[in-house]
Amino acid sequence: MNTIDIQGLDKSFGSVKALDDLDLTVAPGEVRGFLGPNGAGKSTTIRVLLGLLRADAGRARLFGGDPWTAPVSLHRRLAYVPGDVALWPNLTGGEAIDYLSRLRGRTDERRKRELLERFELDPTKKARTYSKGNRQKVALVAAFASDAELFILDEPTSGLDPLMEAVFTEHVRELKARGTSILLSSHILSEVEKVCDTVTIIRAGHAVESGTLSSLRRLTRSRVIAVVPSYDGSLAMLDGVHDLKAEEVEDGTRLSFDIDDAMAGEVLTALARLGIRSLISTPPSLEELFMRHYGDEIAALETETSR
């Protein structure tokens, strides 16, 4: 049984369709990245999972249960961190952590102290004095101090500085090593690449790509830069080689091109015939996968902004 199981989920707000036949699963012990820009439907999906919204159609299950009809029992088994944390202004950070923790049961005090130290959070200050980053730390400490079976993290590093982002990444890796299920919703591609086993890319409320990082990378082209003694034009004749550029350099000819991964063996054989002096091959990043689905929208937005 999957920890999260979403099948054919629909949700509309008036004439706006926020979710459109969305499929999303998280297996026990899996860390899944949930990628998409603002407005793609990530937060709506999470609100349905938390039982805060009722779907119009489709199926949403947590631990096999319906979050709309059984939210209380299901919430005891999960921890949620939103991207914009609001706290009770007159409580201290420590009091807020204790209150949030009691909603899920007992808290490991030793673990809480370690987390406060790692995230460099002063728990004695009133919440109204906290910056956005410190409010985020309160939610993270409260969540990570629990023994939750599932962590739902919605833009969890919003407001954190790079050092604290590294602390967050380190702790997620520790949870992953313990076999904890995690859904990490983010638009920060490098964050997802560091910790996730699988990724779902959502566009206009619909999953456009889903799978392991290695399987998704096969959908795009790798970048190759090679230096050979001389170039006879043979690579340009191969299928799967794109945007080839040849530049004379001090020790030969530098070739740069994109390659379909399925053609890597044939291209390497052709390069070997030319005599390789240096070779760099860069696999596609999640950034490239993301741009594959949103590049047209970003280009249109940049064009409109420049007018």
Side-chain angles (χ1 to χ4, degrees):
M1 179 181 67
N2 287 320
T3 305
I4 293 177
D5 188 7
I6 291 176
Q7 302 293 332
L9 203 64
D10 288 348
K11 180 63 183 178
S12 296
F13 299 97
S15 61
V16 178
K17 193 154 194 176
L19 300 178
D20 183 11
D21 193 30
L22 176 68
D23 294 336
L24 175 69
T25 60
V26 178
E30 178 184 0
V31 182
R32 180 170 289 270
F34 193 32
L35 281 170
N38 293 333
K42 302 189 305 296
S43 293
T44 300
T45 304
I46 288 174
R47 291 187 183 108
V48 171
L49 282 174
L50 294 175
L52 302 176
L53 288 175
R54 188 172 191 172
D56 299 331
R59 166 191 172 95
R61 295 291 183 267
L62 288 175
F63 307 105
D66 187 339
W68 181 255
T69 59
V72 175
S73 60
L74 294 175
H75 279 215
R76 292 195 182 103
R77 304 175 65 180
L78 65 85
Y80 166 60
V81 178
D84 191 6
V85 176
L87 299 173
W88 302 271
N90 290 324
L91 294 184
T92 65
E95 290 169 339
I97 291 169
D98 290 340
Y99 180 74
L100 292 170
S101 299
R102 283 196 297 270
L103 295 176
R104 285 184 296 272
R106 289 172 48 183
T107 298
D108 186 324
E109 289 296 323
R110 181 185 58 82
R111 191 188 309 166
K112 183 180 76 172
R113 289 193 296 271
E114 289 177 355
L115 287 164
L116 287 170
E117 183 175 346
R118 288 170 70 176
F119 280 101
E120 299 179 2
L121 178 67
D122 183 351
T124 65
K125 292 185 177 180
K126 296 286 187 180
R128 64 173 175 267
T129 69
Y130 280 154
S131 64
K132 176 178 173 58
N134 280 332
R135 293 196 304 272
Q136 206 68 27
K137 291 178 186 179
V138 168
L140 288 168
V141 170
F144 290 156
S146 73
D147 289 318
E149 300 169 57
L150 168 67
F151 287 80
I152 298 178
L153 310 174
D154 187 7
E155 305 285 355
T157 60
S158 176
L160 297 184
D161 61 39
L163 179 61
M164 291 299 102
E165 287 179 9
V167 173
F168 165 82
T169 299
E170 180 183 11
H171 196 78
V172 170
R173 284 174 174 157
E174 292 172 7
L175 291 173
K176 178 179 177 179
R178 296 205 299 263
T180 305
S181 300
I182 300 173
L183 177 65
L184 173 57
S185 171
S186 180
H187 65 274
I188 303 174
L189 307 177
S190 59
E191 180 176 80
V192 171
E193 272 190 307
K194 289 174 185 175
V195 297
C196 292
D197 305 307
T198 54
V199 171
T200 293
I201 300 176
I202 185 175
R203 178 176 188 173
H206 183 75
V208 292
E209 296 285 6
S210 190
T212 63
L213 289 179
S214 59
S215 69
L216 289 180
R217 285 186 174 123
R218 284 198 294 272
L219 299 174
T220 60
R221 299 163 179 166
S222 295
R223 185 68 175 168
V224 175
I225 299 175
V227 175
V228 297
S230 62
Y231 176 54
D232 59 6
S234 57
L235 284 180
M237 307 300 292
L238 295 177
D239 291 334
V241 174
H242 308 272
D243 301 324
L244 175 65
K245 295 180 181 178
E247 179 186 1
E248 297 301 319
V249 294
E250 184 176 345
D251 54 348
T253 304
R254 180 167 60 201
L255 305 173
S256 59
F257 53 91
D258 294 329
I259 178 177
D260 295 333
D261 286 352
M263 296 296 296
E266 187 172 343
V267 172
L268 285 175
T269 299
L271 281 172
R273 293 195 200 102
L274 295 172
I276 303 172
R277 288 182 171 166
S278 68
L279 176 67
I280 300 173
S281 178
T282 307
S285 67
L286 281 177
E287 183 79 41
E288 291 169 283
L289 291 171
F290 199 71
M291 289 301 293
R292 175 178 178 179
H293 294 290
Y294 293 103
D296 53 346
E297 295 177 9
I298 293 172
L301 181 61
E302 289 176 346
T303 300
E304 185 176 329
T305 303
S306 64
R307 289 176 179 172

